[in-house]
Amino acid sequence: MKNKDLQPLIETKDLVKKFGAFTALNGVSIDIFPGEVHALLGDNGAGKSTLIKTLSGVHPATSGQILVEGKQVHFSSPRDASDAGIGTVYQDLALNALTSVTRNFFLGRELVFGKGPFGILKMNEMHEIAVAEMAKIGINISDPEQAVGTMSGGQRQTLAIARAIYFGAKVLILDEPTSALGQRQQMEVLKTIRTVQQLGNIAIILITHNEIHARLVANRFTFLSLGEVIGRGMAKDLEGDDIKRLMAGGAEIGDLAKELAI
Ligand SMILES: Nc1ncnc2c1ncn2[C@@H]1O[C@H](COP(=O)(O)OP(=O)(O)OP(=O)(O)O)[C@@H](O)[C@H]1O
Ligand SMILES: [Mg+2]
């Protein structure tokens, strides 16, 4: 997927994030290309969430640069990041279980006839868009008026992803999207990720602690440990225990076995 003629959609250069005296990111440089699923892996506390919160405008960087399509950006709010095409799907998905699929799809960005608070919602058009956008990434919803609470966890993830894409996300950030789901629903989400990957123009940053999931869908990997990049590579170049070892912070498997011994 990586091609030197292709410009990264998003890039960080020497990104540093400090919380008081504590350095959570210590000079992180990564690049994310269109059409790739980029697994961002590392042990607890490695800095994965801090990195994506910095990319999504939640935390200002202490120093370093973020570039979107080659241009440096400064995000002072999540809104700035989403306007620049960075769509973050958080674990709680920001969905309202009691309202319909369509209402959740548009949530604050409804289509209306007329202006002002008394405009009339274009409900039919909104239903059609919600159903069509979700179908594009592989979920067929027969009733867009059904409450989100009646959908499976996997379908909800897909709704959140379809919504982010429809509203302009070029980079989708998924922070542990499968961690709260059962086996079948995990597969649904991985399938959705695959489908988005095949669209070819959107990049996905996937954070997971599940090595198998990362192997199943990722084209490229970046491994973080204690705020630094300790490894990176294309899926095909990582072999044997590489992924496991780097996910654990770079220790040798033998060292891990020693840690386990009591
Ligand atoms: N708001 C904050 N204030 C102070 N320290 C923080 C803050 N957010 C994160 N940290 C610290 O930064 C480090 C990296 O945390 P982060 O949440 O980015 O790790 P992570 O890789 O996402 O871990 P996990 O796999 O457990 O989600 C941790 O040591 C954490 O305690
Ligand atoms: Mg985290």
Side-chain angles (χ1 to χ4, degrees):
M1 194 71 41
K2 187 170 176 178
N3 175 334
K4 54 181 178 336
D5 303 327
L6 204 62
Q7 186 180 52
L9 268 177
I10 185 163
E11 204 176 348
T12 69
K13 289 187 181 163
D14 284 326
L15 208 61
V16 173
K17 176 65 194 169
K18 296 188 183 197
F19 294 110
F22 179 76
T23 304
L25 298 177
N26 190 20
V28 170
S29 301
I30 57 166
D31 45 18
I32 311 290
F33 288 85
E36 75 176 3
V37 175
H38 195 123
L40 181 61
L41 307 181
D43 216 348
N44 296 119
K48 304 179 298 293
S49 294
T50 304
L51 175 59
I52 62 147
K53 283 181 182 160
T54 310
L55 292 178
S56 38
V58 175
H59 296 315
T62 306
S63 66
Q65 296 178 358
I66 300 174
L67 294 92
V68 175
E69 294 176 318
K71 287 199 203 82
Q72 196 176 351
V73 291
H74 299 276
F75 297 146
S76 40
S77 71
R79 183 62 201 256
D80 288 350
S82 112
D83 288 349
I86 299 173
T88 308
V89 177
Y90 291 104
Q91 224 160 22
D92 68 5
L93 301 180
L95 296 175
N96 180 345
L98 298 177
T99 59
S100 71
V101 170
T102 300
R103 291 309 287 262
N104 272 281
F105 191 92
F106 285 90
L107 214 66
R109 290 175 283 203
E110 285 79 6
L111 307 178
V112 287
F113 291 109
K115 289 202 183 333
F118 303 110
I120 299 167
L121 294 182
K122 297 182 179 175
M123 247 6 251
N124 287 339
E125 201 175 318
M126 285 162 51
H127 285 324
E128 277 169 25
I129 292 172
V131 169
E133 292 300 310
M134 293 182 68
K136 270 188 207 163
I137 56 171
I139 298 276
N140 293 305
I141 293 291
S142 50
D143 178 11
E145 295 189 54
Q146 80 181 92
V148 158
T150 65
M151 298 168 90
S152 73
Q155 289 178 323
R156 289 184 214 191
Q157 282 280 349
T158 304
L159 167 56
I161 291 170
R163 177 174 71 181
I165 294 174
Y166 180 70
F167 288 104
K170 292 176 273 198
V171 180
L172 273 176
I173 301 178
L174 310 178
D175 195 357
E176 304 197 35
T178 53
S179 66
L181 302 177
Q183 191 73 20
R184 259 189 52 194
Q185 298 191 10
Q186 292 179 1
M187 289 306 128
E188 262 179 36
V189 172
L190 294 179
K191 247 172 137 174
T192 301
I193 292 174
R194 257 290 159 75
T195 310
V196 174
Q197 182 181 39
Q198 281 161 2
L199 296 176
N201 54 341
I202 292 170
I204 293 181
I205 301 177
L206 172 67
I207 296 181
T208 177
H209 284 283
N210 190 315
E211 180 201 345
I212 296 170
H213 292 178
R215 271 185 194 280
L216 280 172
V217 294
N219 309 96
R220 219 145 60 90
F221 290 74
T222 294
F223 299 90
L224 283 182
S225 176
L226 302 175
E228 297 187 2
V229 175
I230 56 160
R232 60 176 104 235
M234 301 292 290
K236 61 176 173 36
D237 300 326
L238 291 161
E239 42 190 53
D241 285 331
D242 285 349
I243 295 179
K244 226 185 228 103
R245 180 173 57 79
L246 290 162
M247 275 177 92
E252 295 298 329
I253 294 295
D255 298 341
L256 297 177
K258 251 186 254 156
E259 252 183 66
L260 268 179
I262 36 173

